[in-house]
């Protein structure tokens, strides 16, 4: 039943990712700032949509593979064997609930939970594009009392978690599509892009907040020194 458990966990992972990557509010275009950054760094909302759709497709194929393996064999053993070979050429020798996969699931759940908590803490102020509302206030409670940019911490955990779950041996992406080298290249490109977006945005956000709130922001930054992870960065 390990494939059923894997498929179930992938569905849970996709649902949490959906919650974390769905904008809680529309972007009011007239309040946007930092719009001069390179186009490649402005497509974060599109990237969120793409990997959200991708995770749901993976969840569907994982479920199909599991059902075929356990139910299809009783209906048509030959067809089930062929589909098994096509869906998971090498995965039968891999543990579907490997340590890396389970770590990935946990990291995605953690990252998604952090992001949703940030949505709740900022309320109407949280948009996926950088905006400064006329009624904007400096939020220092909840996760914002621990690090200054916790939503990016959540995003990084999502990226790491998805890579652990779906870009390692035994996953559909590795076994059927990308291969080990392709998966490594995808993760490297995705991680570099994520860090570039985070760096570009945090500097812009800190600069805008400092300009808007002055001494209040200075006191907050002195008290909450770290961007993503307390004591490290």
């Amino acid at each position: 039943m390990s494939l059923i458990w894997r498929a179930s966990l992938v569905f849970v992972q996709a649902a949490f990712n959906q919650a974390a990557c769905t904008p809680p509010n529309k972007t009011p275009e007239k309040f946007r700032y930092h719009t001069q950054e390179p186009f490649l760094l402005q497509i974060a909302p599109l990237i969120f949509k793409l990997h959200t759709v991708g995770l749901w497709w993976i969840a569907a194929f994982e479920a199909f593979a599991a059902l075929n393996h356990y139910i299809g064999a009783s209906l048509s053993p030959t067809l089930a064997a062929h589909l098994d070979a096509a869906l998971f050429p090498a995965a039968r020798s891999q543990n579907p609930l490997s340590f890396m996969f389970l770590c990935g699931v946990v990291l995605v759940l953690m990252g998604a939970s952090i992001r949703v908590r940030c949505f709740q803490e900022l309320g109407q102020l949280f948009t996926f594009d950088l905006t400064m509302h006329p009624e904007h206030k400096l939020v220092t409670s909840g996760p914002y009392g621990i690090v200054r940019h916790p939503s990016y911490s959540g995003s990084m955990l999502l990226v790491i978690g998805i890579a652990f779950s779906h870009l390692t041996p035994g996953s559909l992406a590795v076994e059927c599509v990308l291969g080990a080298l392709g998966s490594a290249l995808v993760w490297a490109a995705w991680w570099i892009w994520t860090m570039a977006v985070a760096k570009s945005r945090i500097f812009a956000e800190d600069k805008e907040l400092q300009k808007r709130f002055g001494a209040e922001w200075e006191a907050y930054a002195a008290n909450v020194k770290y961007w993503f992870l307390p004591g490290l960065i």
Side-chain angles (χ1 to χ4, degrees):
M1 296 294 288
S2 58
L3 286 178
I4 296 292
W5 276 108
R6 179 188 175 96
S8 299
L9 288 173
V10 171
F11 265 97
V12 170
Q13 196 179 50
F16 270 72
N17 177 80
Q18 174 85 48
C21 296
T22 300
N25 303 294
K26 292 183 178 180
T27 298
E29 290 294 327
K30 62 180 179 179
F31 299 142
R32 285 189 65 188
Y33 66 93
H34 195 49
T35 56
Q36 76 283 1
E37 65 179 342
F39 175 75
L40 190 61
L41 301 183
Q42 294 189 42
I43 60 173
L46 174 61
I47 297 297
F48 278 152
K49 288 180 182 179
L50 291 177
H51 75 67
T52 296
V53 171
L55 279 184
W56 281 117
W57 273 104
I58 289 171
F61 278 111
E62 292 274 10
F64 179 76
L67 290 173
N68 172 73
H69 185 71
Y70 292 113
I71 299 174
S74 63
L75 300 176
S76 175
T78 302
L79 178 60
H82 282 301
L83 287 173
D84 258 357
L87 288 169
F88 282 102
R92 293 286 81 84
S93 63
Q94 302 285 342
N95 177 12
L97 299 176
S98 67
F99 177 73
M100 290 291 282
F101 171 75
L102 294 175
C103 282
V105 172
V106 171
L107 288 171
V108 167
L109 300 191
M110 288 175 57
S113 298
I114 290 171
R115 282 187 60 82
V116 170
R117 182 70 182 86
C118 291
F119 297 169
Q120 295 169 342
E121 199 66 34
L122 286 185
Q124 292 299 313
L125 301 178
F126 199 110
T127 55
F128 277 15
D129 296 298
L130 299 189
T131 56
M132 182 63 71
H133 294 253
E135 68 278 11
H136 216 101
K137 61 181 180 178
L138 185 63
V139 177
T140 62
S141 55
Y144 292 92
I146 302 172
V147 292
R148 297 211 300 269
H149 301 278
S151 67
Y152 298 130
S153 305
S155 295
M156 291 174 188
L157 289 176
L158 282 175
V159 172
I160 297 171
I162 292 170
F164 279 10
S165 292
H166 301 296
L167 296 178
T168 52
S171 70
L172 278 171
V174 173
E175 305 296 345
C176 302
V177 182
L178 298 172
L181 178 59
S183 298
L185 292 175
V186 167
W187 190 29
W190 192 11
W191 184 247
I192 290 170
W193 177 84
T194 298
M195 291 302 295
V197 170
K199 182 179 178 181
S200 172
R201 289 188 164 210
I202 60 174
F203 281 120
E205 287 184 30
D206 280 357
K207 182 179 178 180
E208 190 71 17
L209 289 170
Q210 184 179 26
K211 181 172 66 175
R212 177 71 178 267
F213 297 103
E216 184 184 1
W217 185 90
E218 295 284 357
Y220 169 63
N223 185 50
V224 181
K225 298 181 176 66
Y226 298 98
W227 290 336
F228 309 127
L229 192 62
L232 289 179
I233 186 172

